[in-house]
Amino acid sequence: VTGMPGFLGYTKIAEVPISQTKYTDTNGGIGLVAGAQYCYRLVAAFPLPGGGESYVSRDTCLAPIPATAPIITNVTVDKTNTKAGNITVKWAAPYDVSPPYRYKLFRAEGFTGKNKIVSPHTGFLDNINTFTDSDINTEELVYNYRVVLYDNTSSQPLDTSAVASTVRLDAKPQFKRIELNWAANVPWTNQSQKYPRHLIYRGPEGATESNMTLIDSINVTAGRFVYVDSGQYNRVPLSESQIYCYRVQTRGTYGNPKIKEPLLNFSQINCAQPSDTVPPCKPVLAVVAKQCDQYTASQPCDPKVFNNVLTWVRPADLACRPDIRSYNIYVASKLDDEFILYAQNVRDTFYIDSNLPSFARCYKISAMNRAGIESKLSDSYCFDNCPHYELPNVFTPNGDNCNELFSAYSDRQPVDEAGNGPCGPVDQIKNRMRCARFVENVIFTVHNRWGKEVYNYESGGERSIYIDWDGLDNHGKELSAGVYYYNARVTFTVVDPSKKTHDIRGWVQIVR
């Protein structure tokens, strides 16, 4: 087998030039774990067009890292509950540091989260290597822990252990079976050839930890912490009307003979129902609308790319939250258009729709449960543009290069460093407030005071929406100075079809 076989349990940490013969491992800058033994292998990658990889090198295992900090060995969930959950944390003393010493244990939410660090005890832990963290939400949350080392006479920390999290189990219902996935962020390895099998426990609906039965084990050295229960344990197919509860025990090692192994840690209990057909709760959008006055004052007149930020809230009903695995995004260009699936498997509670031709777009979202069942679509929310079109009342086509054309307001005229244009100082903020925005098409006609059409224009092709009329009639003849009357039929890019077309009527004076 060429390349790195998955069953060996190695993780790629770097790519270096073929000429390099030395590499320093800093574990991504956070340092190697105290007490752990690290082994390394190399694979050579061949250049294209041949490509491919070499056979893997033999392993090189170094002596364990000196244990100058506490060594966490266990973070196991003893009780699954939203309020009264328990986690037992164990650690080994730093055998490369002489006693006496004492500890403080710190906890944070998430696999690696550092925010909201809470010490689950008060004071110091003297001559203690085990602590049970009680009355916490082990059903819905992942926690990580670290142990800080102090000597007996000082309140200044000497060293800190690596971070270790609880094992998080996810149960995904499928047709007549349930798929289990689990993960943990720990300083030891849960994927070793010495202890390759993780244990799978199962119980009925409402089962506690003491009611769980060992049903199987799975070899995880291939790198996948996945188990599918289809009833093979007792050769009885899973019932589609029954809820099954699971708990997984991982087995790991530091590879250090001074640290007792295997390291056994349980996940929380997670329950699922095969072929679950009950849809999750309908999500609720929570979008803050933009203010056009603020937008037009701060943005250039003719931007080309736009972004919409869609946000929503998690269900208020706590019973709905664990059932939601991801969200789908649906879009429509107009109010009366059909909503089309646009994005899937969104795990956050926000979505940024980028590189759009305009803001005009409507959205709905749905929630997906672990069985792949979709909720009802949320109520719609439409982002809309800030359309505007304004024409002046006078222009002077007299050859002085100032105000020569009758044009819709814009920021196209050149402005020097002092803020002056061809006609003098330019108020750029005022121009931005008046400039043409989100215009698709313009049909422009001009009549004299007796109602005769003297000029017409339609944008499209090389003709811009700004008109840029030079004061000539339809036959190319110069119109006399005076007052003329116009109608501009403007088509905007908006989500509401009833607001798409506007007729703008006014007068313009030609001064020569």
Side-chain angles (χ1 to χ4, degrees), residues 19 53 131 221 227 272 297 379 408 414 483 506:
S19 59
E53 294 180 328
F131 185 86
T221 54
Y227 177 82
D379 296 335
V483 175

Side-chain angles (χ1 to χ4, degrees), residues 421-435:
C423 300
V426 176
D427 188 339
Q428 292 181 321
I429 295 179
K430 185 176 180 180
N431 272 6
R432 285 178 176 177
M433 297 293 290
R434 304 176 73 177
C435 67

Side-chain angles (χ1 to χ4, degrees), residues 33 60 81 99 102 151 165 170 269 305 312 320 328 366 372 401 438 452 483:
V33 176
T60 297
N81 194 276
R102 52 188 180 170
D151 66 28
S165 77
D170 185 28
I269 295 175
V305 178
W312 55 93
C320 293
N328 293 336
S366 67
N401 200 33
F438 305 105
K452 180 181 178 181
V483 175

Side-chain angles (χ1 to χ4, degrees), residues 70-137:
I71 304 166
I72 291 186
T73 57
N74 295 86
V75 181
T76 186
V77 178
D78 296 321
K79 182 179 179 181
T80 303
N81 194 276
T82 57
K83 295 182 179 180
N86 293 339
I87 295 172
T88 294
V89 182
K90 297 181 181 180
W91 59 95
Y95 49 79
D96 287 321
V97 176
S98 300
Y101 33 65
R102 52 188 180 170
Y103 311 98
K104 280 188 177 181
L105 178 65
F106 291 85
R107 178 189 73 222
E109 293 182 8
F111 285 107
T112 59
K114 295 182 180 179
N115 294 328
K116 299 181 180 179
I117 292 179
V118 178
S119 178
H121 62 87
T122 58
F124 290 93
L125 300 175
D126 297 322
N127 301 316
I128 294 177
N129 295 84
T130 299
F131 185 86
T132 299
D133 194 8
S134 304
D135 300 326
I136 54 177
N137 183 0

Side-chain angles (χ1 to χ4, degrees), residues 1-5 7-8 10 39-45 53-61 193:
V1 177
T2 58
M4 177 61 69
F7 65 86
L8 290 180
Y10 281 74
C39 299
Y40 299 86
R41 293 177 184 260
L42 295 173
V43 172
E53 294 180 328
S54 71
Y55 294 116
V56 67
S57 72
R58 295 184 62 180
D59 62 329
T60 297
C61 297
Q193 291 180 296

Side-chain angles (χ1 to χ4, degrees), residues 16 26 34 59 67 108 118 136 179 190-191 194 200-201 223 231 241 279 285 327 395 397 421 428 437 450 467 487 490:
V16 299
T26 63
D59 62 329
V118 178
I136 54 177
E179 179 182 288
N190 279 328
Q191 183 188 339
K194 190 173 183 180
I200 313 299
Y201 291 78
S241 61
L285 288 170
Y327 298 90
F395 72 114
Q428 292 181 321
R437 295 181 186 273
W450 296 281
I467 302 176
N487 182 82
V490 185

Side-chain angles (χ1 to χ4, degrees), residues 74 195 251-253 260-264:
N74 295 86
Y195 305 104
R251 302 201 301 163
T253 176
K260 185 179 179 180
E261 56 185 34
L263 308 179
L264 305 178

